Amino acid sequence: MSYPIYNCFHPILRKKAIEIDSFGGALSTFASEMLETMRSADGLGLAANQVGDRRSLVIVDEFAGGNSSKSSPIFLINPKITAFSETKQEYQEGCLSVPKFYQYINRPSDIDLEYQDLDGNLHKISAGNLLARIIQHEVDHLSGILFFDHLTSLKRVLSKSKLRRIEAGETDAHYNMINPDGTDNIVTDQ
Ligand code: ZN
């Protein structure tokens, strides 16, 4: 089953996530439904608040889309970035909560990360390039931060009309969405 995705202007996208301390079947079921949602919307990452759930859980998959046989989703529970490289990189980002809006964002190119898996085991990893990019974008969601918050003020001004249309629910997404006011925007004609 797949969930509708919340529009970036819905208040839940600005809430801080709640730490997960209970692992097991129900969490795994939710995680697999999130994965299905991410795949059917063609995303490379998804945070739980994007499907209306405030728990601290994201999925990242740098190989999603295109060649799906390489797909290797990682479920990150209670993720924390513990170090950022000084070297930064510009890369074009998009977000399933901000349909059809793409912007170059400058971020550290490498990170160290701690997270728990679906069984609660702690992992420490280093990531670079696209994976580091996706993780930073998704972990931002857990702090209520959206990728366009990182834009320069000039770029924000230039993006205003496009973001206003998204705020008005004119998203033209190919997947189901929840509008900023909580009404849905269910796609019937796929
Ligand atoms: Zn996003």
Side-chain angles (χ1 to χ4, degrees):
M1 144 194 173
S2 91
Y3 297 106
I5 291 176
Y6 281 64
N7 184 300
C8 59
F9 291 101
H10 188 285
I12 196 163
L13 271 295
R14 292 302 189 179
K15 300 270 197 239
K16 284 201 196 318
I18 297 162
E19 193 112 337
I20 292 173
D21 55 16
S22 143
F23 297 84
L27 184 66
S28 298
T29 303
F30 174 60
S32 65
E33 288 170 348
M34 269 182 67
L35 179 61
E36 199 178 321
T37 303
M38 185 185 86
R39 285 184 168 152
S40 61
D42 299 317
L44 301 179
L46 187 67
N49 61 347
Q50 292 183 275
V51 296
D53 189 301
R54 284 192 57 193
R55 283 177 287 178
S56 182
L57 160 60
V58 306
I59 308 175
V60 296
D61 186 354
E62 62 179 318
F63 301 112
N67 183 358
S68 56
S69 61
K70 282 180 75 187
S71 167
S72 58
I74 311 172
F75 298 94
L76 307 176
I77 317 294
N78 304 324
K80 278 174 197 69
I81 298 173
T82 54
F84 296 90
S85 65
E86 278 179 31
T87 311
K88 293 191 175 186
Q89 229 170 31
E90 283 232 306
Y91 196 86
Q92 196 178 45
E93 292 186 31
C95 178
L96 295 176
S97 293
V98 196
K100 301 187 178 173
F101 179 74
Y102 304 95
Q103 292 288 334
Y104 281 90
I105 306 287
N106 201 23
R107 294 189 192 263
S109 54
D110 299 271
I111 56 166
D112 291 337
L113 178 81
E114 287 182 13
Y115 69 94
Q116 285 166 279
D117 62 26
L118 288 168
D119 299 314
N121 303 309
L122 186 66
H123 299 262
K124 296 183 182 190
I125 63 166
S126 296
N129 299 311
L130 181 59
L131 184 59
R133 169 74 45 169
I134 303 169
I135 290 171
Q136 289 176 79
H137 177 119
E138 298 309 327
V139 170
D140 266 358
H141 274 303
L142 299 179
S143 304
I145 297 168
L146 292 158
F147 80 102
F148 55 71
D149 297 340
H150 295 286
L151 289 174
T152 61
S153 51
L154 174 63
K155 277 188 176 172
R156 263 166 175 281
V157 169
L158 295 174
S159 309
K160 220 168 209 170
S161 63
K162 173 76 183 172
L163 290 174
R164 282 224 178 100
R165 282 200 296 279
I166 292 173
E167 188 168 13
E170 297 163 25
T171 58
D172 197 25
H174 71 279
Y175 42 86
N176 296 331
M177 292 199 76
I178 302 292
N179 292 317
D181 64 2
T183 59
D184 64 31
N185 195 355
I186 301 299
V187 180
T188 48
D189 175 18
Q190 303 213 23

